[in-house]
Amino acid sequence: MNDMKIRKDNVEDVLALSAVQTGILYEYLIKEDKELYIAQISLHLKGKLDINVMKKACEMVSNNNEMLRSVFRWERLQKPIQIILKNHKVPFGTYILKNEPIHEARLKAEKLMKNEKSNGIDIRIEPVKIILFQYEDDSHDLVITWHHIVYDGWSNMILLREIFQTYEKLLNEKYPEFDKKAKYKDYIKMCNEFKKSNEHKMFWKEYLHEYKANDNLLRDIQGNGKRNITAEYSFKLNEDMIKKLEDYLCNKRTTVADFIYTVWGILLYKYTNISDFAIGVTYSGRNNKIRNIDKTIGLFINTLPLRIKIDDSMKVDDVLMNIADDKEKMLNYEMSNLIDIKEYSGLKSDEALFHSLVVVENYPVEMEKWLDNDEGGLHIESYCSSEKNNYDLVLGILPSDDYTFLIQYSRDYYTEEYIHRMAGYLNNLLEIILNGTEDILIGDIDKYTSEEIEKMKTLTNDIEENMDFDIDSFL
């Protein structure tokens, strides 16, 4: 489809937008940042690859997933819509760079990938794009760039699995079979029915009773609010820390997410001395009763405020249990709209429910077959991903990738040295808790910390010595 015109006989369905999609569209239209909500994943592949078969596989997968055939319209309409097309080929571009020196070829590919993001995406025409780079050393980069309004991280794993399964079937001259999918309109219908009930309104009013916004929570500097420049800082846990973390989760019978929320909550309290605040946490949206929703590509994820109350007299376990309990209760209201929640809380329009977002990517990967090189065929040697959202401060954790911690921050509100200190403090908190001192009082934590924490208000130059740090390898 090379223009805005859509033939009537090519329309499969016309849907309203979900609440989350509506919010993203609003940001898409008012922000001047073209990279906002654009996500990209790059898979570095090794082994023999048939480009034509891979292209065919991508076409078949897009045909089997309605949201990959969706485009969005809003001009001269009372409400925005998404149009599911009967036939729509996701753009598939190829760059043959095998006749160029590998270093120069990779630099060229990296520049092209960055351009895909910086040029933005026109969701009216092509919300999803795929590029395949071929290099001289029998390697390729498969790059998928998409707008978050179409699908979430869980969906991305479904997409990748289906692409590789289909490629393998076609290569062996077998017809691929696909999982049955849920319809996105059924999800939107369920969201609308959920909103009509008063139960969620009563829950959020009670949950956020007497909650006060903390507009300057954790901000290092006062910026201009444009939030067009973001930066990242990452570190990985070493093997010893990973083993201790897994033992801790098993002994406490808790989840990675609840543990990370606890540690982040303690960090915010220590930095600000604010004892009642909220952080943004994500829910997959895959827990409702729609059949096959766990196998469906679409935007089901939602962000909700997790309220944390903490003081010096509490223990780490106390904070952890409160968070786990609240998380379980909120699960029944994961389809709530953030705009509605803010209204129920009584906050003013210019006040924020929270300023930091914590994302623990715990969706099923199921890519082990193509990550393993035992059979010597086509496999994923490495991969990296990125996405720019509208939050000032985001802590991301990838449990499936040796527990990579990423802090993404707005340079309008945080300096690099401040984030580096924060990363050092976070790393030390993890060590304190995982070394068996979780029974200490929150107020006594600093007595157990290393010199790094005692100097948390000043710049430290030796953070890397306390971490297994590798920013270039962050995915």
Side-chain angles (χ1 to χ4, degrees):
M1 186 172 63
N2 297 320
D3 54 37
M4 292 287 293
K5 295 180 180 179
I6 298 176
R7 299 194 320 270
K8 290 183 178 180
D9 61 355
N10 193 31
V11 175
E12 179 176 301
D13 211 343
V14 178
L15 312 179
L17 272 59
S18 69
V20 176
Q21 285 182 310
T22 301
I24 291 177
L25 177 62
Y26 175 78
E27 299 288 348
Y28 177 84
L29 295 176
I30 68 169
K31 298 294 183 181
E32 298 178 357
D33 186 358
K34 290 184 177 181
E35 293 187 31
L36 189 63
Y37 288 114
I38 292 181
Q40 187 177 80
I41 186 165
S42 174
L43 309 178
H44 183 57
L45 310 177
K46 290 289 288 184
K48 187 177 180 181
L49 182 146
D50 189 314
I51 294 178
N52 291 328
V53 174
M54 178 59 75
K55 182 178 180 180
K56 179 63 176 177
C58 291
E59 289 177 0
M60 294 185 73
V61 171
S62 64
N63 286 335
N64 189 59
N65 291 277
E66 61 178 6
M67 292 308 293
L68 300 180
R69 293 181 274 110
S70 64
V71 293
F72 297 79
R73 299 297 162 88
W74 55 88
E75 294 99 338
R76 297 188 298 275
L77 296 175
Q78 201 168 26
K79 291 184 178 181
I81 59 173
Q82 50 194 324
I83 304 171
I84 310 299
L85 303 175
K86 292 179 181 177
N87 298 297
H88 173 66
K89 292 183 178 180
V90 172
F92 187 98
T94 56
Y95 289 89
I96 310 300
L97 304 174
K98 61 182 181 180
N99 295 323
E100 300 184 26
I102 189 65
H103 177 68
E104 294 180 12
R106 292 195 181 282
L107 287 177
K108 182 180 290 186
E110 183 178 341
K111 183 178 180 180
L112 289 168
M113 285 188 283
K114 288 182 178 179
N115 288 340
E116 278 292 301
K117 294 181 66 178
S118 61
N119 291 335
I121 285 181
D122 190 343
I123 62 176
R124 300 170 300 175
I125 300 175
E126 298 172 341
V128 183
K129 300 179 181 179
I130 301 176
I131 297 178
L132 184 67
F133 297 94
Q134 184 181 44
Y135 306 111
E136 65 173 1
D137 59 346
D138 202 20
S139 67
H140 300 75
D141 282 333
L142 181 67
V143 182
I144 303 175
T145 307
W146 75 97
H147 201 282
H148 191 56
I149 198 171
V150 181
Y151 64 82
D152 50 31
W154 183 305
S155 301
N156 197 42
M157 293 299 103
I158 297 173
L159 173 60
L160 293 175
R161 186 183 70 246
E162 289 191 357
I163 286 176
F164 279 87
Q165 285 178 340
T166 305
Y167 173 82
E168 191 175 76
K169 291 283 187 180
L170 293 176
L171 203 62
N172 293 316
E173 299 182 347
K174 296 179 180 179
Y175 191 82
E177 297 179 358
F178 295 99
D179 294 328
K180 291 184 178 180
K181 310 286 183 174
K183 291 291 185 180
Y184 200 66
K185 65 180 178 182
D186 292 334
Y187 172 73
I188 294 176
K189 181 180 178 181
M190 180 173 283
C191 288
N192 292 335
E193 292 174 350
F194 172 85
K195 187 174 182 178
K196 292 177 183 178
S197 72
N198 285 323
E199 188 178 348
H200 69 104
K201 181 177 181 180
M202 293 172 60
F203 170 80
W204 290 112
K205 275 193 169 184
E206 181 180 349
Y207 184 68
L208 296 170
H209 180 62
E210 296 184 346
Y211 179 76
K212 295 180 180 179
N214 301 293
D215 286 337
N216 294 317
L217 180 64
L218 206 63
R219 284 181 178 171
D220 181 29
I221 55 177
Q222 294 300 313
N224 56 24
K226 290 184 178 180
R227 285 184 264 187
N228 287 341
I229 303 175
T230 60
E232 297 177 349
Y233 190 95
S234 69
F235 66 92
K236 290 185 179 182
L237 298 186
N238 58 41
E239 292 183 5
D240 180 60
M241 286 281 282
I242 292 174
K243 178 62 168 59
K244 288 180 179 179
L245 174 55
E246 291 175 345
D247 289 344
Y248 179 91
L249 298 176
C250 181
N251 293 334
K252 297 293 182 180
R253 297 183 179 180
T254 190
T255 65
V256 175
D258 290 349
F259 173 73
I260 298 302
Y261 300 152
T262 299
V263 177
W264 188 245
I266 294 172
L267 182 148
L268 294 182
Y269 172 67
K270 286 293 183 179
Y271 260 56
T272 66
N273 291 320
I274 297 174
S275 59
D276 185 4
F277 55 89
I279 62 175
V281 299
T282 55
Y283 282 75
S284 69
R286 309 277 173 159
N287 299 304
N288 57 58
K289 297 179 181 179
I290 298 177
R291 189 175 183 181
N292 296 322
I293 194 171
D294 60 321
K295 301 174 182 178
T296 303
I297 291 176
L299 182 61
F300 302 103
I301 196 172
N302 196 10
T303 301
L304 299 175
L306 176 64
R307 190 173 184 177
I308 298 177
K309 296 181 180 180
I310 188 171
D311 61 55
D312 286 349
S313 66
M314 299 175 68
K315 296 179 180 179
V316 174
D317 271 2
D318 297 330
V319 182
L320 178 62
M321 286 188 293
N322 289 343
I323 285 176
D325 185 55
D326 283 354
K327 274 278 304 309
E328 185 68 24
K329 293 176 182 176
M330 288 166 60
L331 189 61
N332 296 321
Y333 307 99
E334 65 173 332
M335 299 175 76
S336 301
N337 185 342
L338 261 182
I339 297 175
D340 293 336
I341 294 174
K342 186 175 180 179
E343 179 185 340
Y344 305 151
S345 72
L347 296 183
K348 297 177 182 178
S349 59
D350 59 345
E351 294 179 318
L353 279 166
F354 50 84
H355 292 281
S356 69
L357 175 67
V358 181
V359 181
V360 180
E361 298 189 356
N362 56 359
Y363 40 76
V365 178
E366 299 181 13
M367 294 294 292
E368 290 82 1
K369 180 177 181 180
W370 295 280
L371 290 167
D372 193 348
N373 190 28
D374 288 346
E375 298 180 3
L378 180 68
H379 64 280
I380 302 170
E381 187 173 69
S382 61
Y383 61 96
C384 60
S385 63
S386 62
E387 178 184 351
K388 186 175 183 179
N389 57 50
N390 198 40
Y391 293 98
D392 302 334
L393 184 64
V394 180
L395 173 66
I397 300 93
L398 302 174
S400 62
D401 181 46
D402 297 330
Y403 292 94
T404 296
F405 286 69
L406 170 75
I407 299 177
Q408 186 182 65
Y409 61 98
S410 167
R411 287 192 179 275
D412 288 329
Y413 297 113
Y414 302 97
T415 59
E416 182 179 3
E417 61 183 16
Y418 186 87
I419 296 299
H420 288 192
R421 292 200 308 272
M422 184 185 296
Y425 192 79
L426 175 61
N427 191 68
N428 275 276
L429 279 176
L430 291 168
E431 289 182 352
I432 293 165
I433 298 171
L434 297 179
N435 282 332
T437 53
E438 75 274 8
D439 289 332
I440 65 172
L441 298 177
I442 299 296
D444 292 337
I445 280 181
D446 288 350
K447 297 178 183 178
Y448 291 80
T449 60
S450 65
E451 184 178 354
E452 182 71 38
I453 289 183
E454 298 301 327
K455 295 180 178 180
M456 73 177 190
K457 298 300 182 183
T458 60
L459 177 63
T460 57
N461 297 317
D462 60 349
I463 292 177
E464 287 81 358
E465 295 179 7
N466 298 321
M467 303 183 196
D468 182 13
F469 177 73
D470 184 9
I471 189 168
D472 293 329
S473 67
F474 175 73
L475 304 181

